Amino acid sequence: MSGMGGQAPMAMAVLWTMAVVTLVFVVLRVYTRAVLVRSFGSDDYVYVLSGFMLLFYAVFLQVSSHYGFGQPIAALDLDSAVRAVEWEMIGQTFAVVGMATAKVSLGLFLLRIVVKPWHRVVLWIASVLILAVSLVVGVLFWTQCLPPRSLYDPRVKGTCGFGIAPFSLLLGVACIVADFFFAAFPWVFIWNLNMKHKEKVTIAASMSVGVVAGVAGIIRTVSLGGIASRNYTEDTVPLIIWSAVELAVTMVCAGVPVLRPLYRRIKGGITTDDSAGNSNGYYKHGTGNDNSTNQDSIRLKNMSSIETDVENNRGFPGAHPKLGIRGPTTVTYIKGDNHSDEEILGPEYRQSQAGAQPGQIHIHEHVDVHVERAGGGRTPVPRPESGDERDEESLREVA
């Protein structure tokens, strides 16, 4: 082991920076999808897998750097050179697969929010193709020479049937096309959504960060010449760096839109009630105490069930718990089992997509609440009125 030197410190600084940024997004996404909205889908699993791919990429390159990655191969002893190339090749394999799975995660995310058949077909084709090309190149990378050890150890005799350079170029071009496709495609359907123009631009722009990944992919593809160089440990440094950048930027691109519910809750002061086991419910307090008279309202996400805090025995102790009127300031929990677009892009999206398809049956659920008072009077709680009954309804406090 020769120790780190040459370009290795700079390269590893970039790799670990990309890995840390990516892992932050992975943790935030897992928290948002699994804890806040409780809707952890296939795109989330693939996203987490892609994050670990980048982590393993950095780990194996770190090992390689201690054997001589980043230094001229002529300056290394034979054993160190062999180990450096071996660990670098292992790391590159994770990068090759990780770049594809990150793009597949983005494709699966978009599949959750598009409804037109041709949109879905195009997304499936793009996702399957990039994954297939990546896996094929990953296999060919290790089978271009047999036995595989002869690739990096000159002491092992072997037979090479083909060169990997053309296939690596194919993968590079495929990744570039996929990056620009996933960056541009959201703009095709985003304008038809029933939400504010500012929100449309914010969502589409966050997805379009993929353009930066495409630029990184171009630079990475130009650097592919290093894989055929005799000075492999040093000439592949640009390829290693830009592969990490492309993968990390794709992860950021796929992570930002999904974190929108977390941002909205932090900004709006909306939290979840973990103590009641209702992490999918939203509630908002008055001014922070039970005696508050602030008439704050909350947005109803899905009127599938209404629960209320029954532990404090507030206000109307004899009322049925589901009426949500046990205190001067009612704390009402609105929760449902919506596992689709609204939890990803926010409530503005669902109504537009549901109303955009002719011939569909639309079901709107209304809940009428009546309060039985001591004198026998029966006071109805007025139903919220809004143009978008699923997105903008609000529930007033019951005095």
Side-chain angles (χ1 to χ4, degrees):
M1 185 178 294
S2 62
M4 291 183 63
Q7 302 181 55
M10 177 270 296
M12 295 314 304
V14 174
L15 260 66
W16 282 114
T17 299
M18 298 296 103
V20 170
V21 171
T22 297
L23 289 177
V24 169
F25 273 87
V26 169
V27 171
L28 292 177
R29 177 163 178 158
V30 169
Y31 175 76
T32 300
R33 303 291 293 154
V35 178
L36 294 186
V37 301
R38 289 193 174 181
S39 177
F40 206 81
S42 58
D43 56 327
D44 302 302
Y45 285 108
V46 178
Y47 187 85
V48 173
L49 174 63
S50 302
F52 279 105
M53 288 291 179
L54 180 52
L55 176 62
F56 293 147
Y57 181 43
V59 168
F60 287 121
L61 264 297
Q62 182 70 52
V63 176
S64 177
S65 67
H66 287 287
Y67 284 104
F69 165 71
Q71 304 178 49
I73 198 168
L76 305 174
D77 61 78
L78 182 57
D79 287 337
S80 295
V82 168
R83 297 301 297 275
V85 175
E86 178 184 15
W87 287 108
E88 181 181 350
M89 290 179 63
I90 295 174
Q92 286 177 325
T93 305
F94 282 96
V96 167
V97 178
M99 283 187 290
T101 56
K103 293 168 178 53
V104 170
S105 173
L106 186 54
L108 292 175
F109 162 73
L110 294 177
L111 281 167
R112 294 171 65 101
I113 60 178
V114 299
V115 294
K116 292 185 178 181
W118 77 269
H119 289 168
R120 301 183 65 83
V121 170
V122 170
L123 286 171
W124 273 117
I125 291 176
S127 300
V128 171
L129 283 179
I130 189 64
L131 182 60
V133 172
S134 173
L135 293 176
V136 169
V137 172
V139 172
L140 294 178
F141 183 52
W142 287 97
T143 59
Q144 56 182 307
C145 294
L146 297 175
R149 188 173 182 83
S150 63
L151 280 167
Y152 53 85
D153 191 344
R155 296 168 297 189
V156 177
K157 302 299 181 181
T159 303
C160 298
F162 55 88
I164 194 61
F167 300 98
S168 298
L169 180 62
L170 173 63
L171 176 62
V173 173
C175 287
I176 294 170
V177 173
D179 286 329
F180 284 108
F181 167 76
F182 285 122
F185 190 72
W187 295 92
V188 174
F189 63 85
I190 197 73
W191 301 113
N192 295 324
L193 306 188
N194 183 26
M195 61 174 60
K196 296 179 181 179
H197 179 78
K198 179 181 179 181
E199 301 235 356
K200 293 179 182 179
V201 173
T202 300
I203 294 171
S206 63
M207 297 181 184
S208 297
V209 176
V211 170
V212 180
V215 173
I218 293 175
I219 300 174
R220 181 182 64 83
T221 303
V222 173
S223 305
L224 283 173
I227 62 176
S229 172
R230 292 183 177 275
N231 189 24
Y232 191 89
T233 53
E234 185 177 40
D235 291 347
T236 54
V237 170
L239 174 64
I240 296 299
I241 291 175
W242 288 106
S243 294
V245 172
E246 180 182 2
L247 177 50
V249 172
T250 303
M251 293 291 288
V252 171
C253 175
V256 169
V258 182
L259 298 181
R260 187 167 174 265
L262 176 61
Y263 169 76
R264 288 168 64 88
R265 294 187 186 190
I266 294 174
K267 182 180 179 181
I270 302 175
T271 61
T272 57
D273 179 30
D274 294 329
S275 63
N278 182 23
S279 294
N280 195 31
Y282 312 142
Y283 67 94
K284 187 174 182 179
H285 296 282
T287 59
N289 58 67
D290 294 344
N291 297 322
S292 168
T293 58
N294 182 24
Q295 297 291 329
D296 282 341
S297 63
I298 60 176
R299 180 169 301 181
L300 302 189
K301 298 295 183 183
N302 189 334
M303 295 295 296
S304 62
S305 64
I306 301 181
E307 299 178 0
T308 190
D309 181 1
V310 300
E311 297 179 357
N312 296 329
N313 199 28
R314 308 172 186 171
F316 298 90
H320 192 282
K322 290 189 176 180
L323 291 180
I325 56 172
R326 290 211 170 189
T329 299
T330 304
V331 181
T332 305
Y333 305 83
I334 312 302
K335 74 173 185 177
D337 56 355
N338 177 15
H339 300 312
S340 58
D341 46 27
E342 186 269 337
E343 293 173 340
I344 306 170
L345 296 181
E348 298 88 345
Y349 181 79
R350 289 188 305 174
Q351 185 70 13
S352 66
Q353 289 290 47
Q357 301 301 311
Q360 289 184 341
I361 298 176
H362 306 286
I363 299 175
H364 299 277
E365 181 178 4
H366 303 288
V367 177
D368 292 321
V369 180
H370 298 273
V371 180
E372 297 290 347
R373 299 188 180 274
R378 196 165 183 254
T379 304
V381 178
R383 179 186 301 161
E385 297 181 359
S386 174
D388 188 344
E389 296 183 357
R390 300 182 67 185
D391 294 339
E392 301 296 337
E393 292 175 333
S394 60
L395 186 65
R396 299 179 182 275
E397 291 181 347
V398 180

